[in-house]
Amino acid sequence: MNKCKITVLKKTFDPELAEEYGVKGLTACPMLKEGQVFHADYSCPDGVCNEAWKAIYQYCFALAHGSG
């Protein structure tokens, strides 16, 4: 099984949307740093938050199993 490389390119935060739809005190993800690199197959790599993993795991799983 292959592993796919995950690179944190950019972190964004929209305070206007956070104020309207989020909870008080919401900020950009404190766990990830721009430039961080992770390698994954089907399981969440250490250091990746659950919300980020939920957003990308299906792509990592497909790439790890030979999808182009």
Side-chain angles (χ1 to χ4, degrees):
M1 181 180 326
N2 300 317
K3 287 195 175 237
C4 67
K5 180 180 175 182
I6 303 163
T7 305
V8 179
L9 299 176
K10 182 178 176 182
K11 289 175 32 167
T12 61
F13 180 75
D14 188 324
E16 184 178 307
L17 290 175
E19 185 177 325
E20 186 172 348
Y21 299 106
V23 297
K24 190 171 182 93
L26 189 64
T27 63
C29 177
M31 292 183 68
L32 300 175
K33 307 276 187 269
E34 291 179 6
Q36 272 184 300
V37 175
F38 302 93
H39 293 90
D41 42 30
Y42 60 89
S43 60
C44 182
D46 290 339
V48 175
C49 70
N50 290 335
E51 293 304 314
W53 183 244
K54 284 194 307 189
I56 62 172
Y57 85 94
Q58 61 197 3
Y59 306 108
C60 292
F61 183 87
L63 289 169
H65 287 84
S67 174

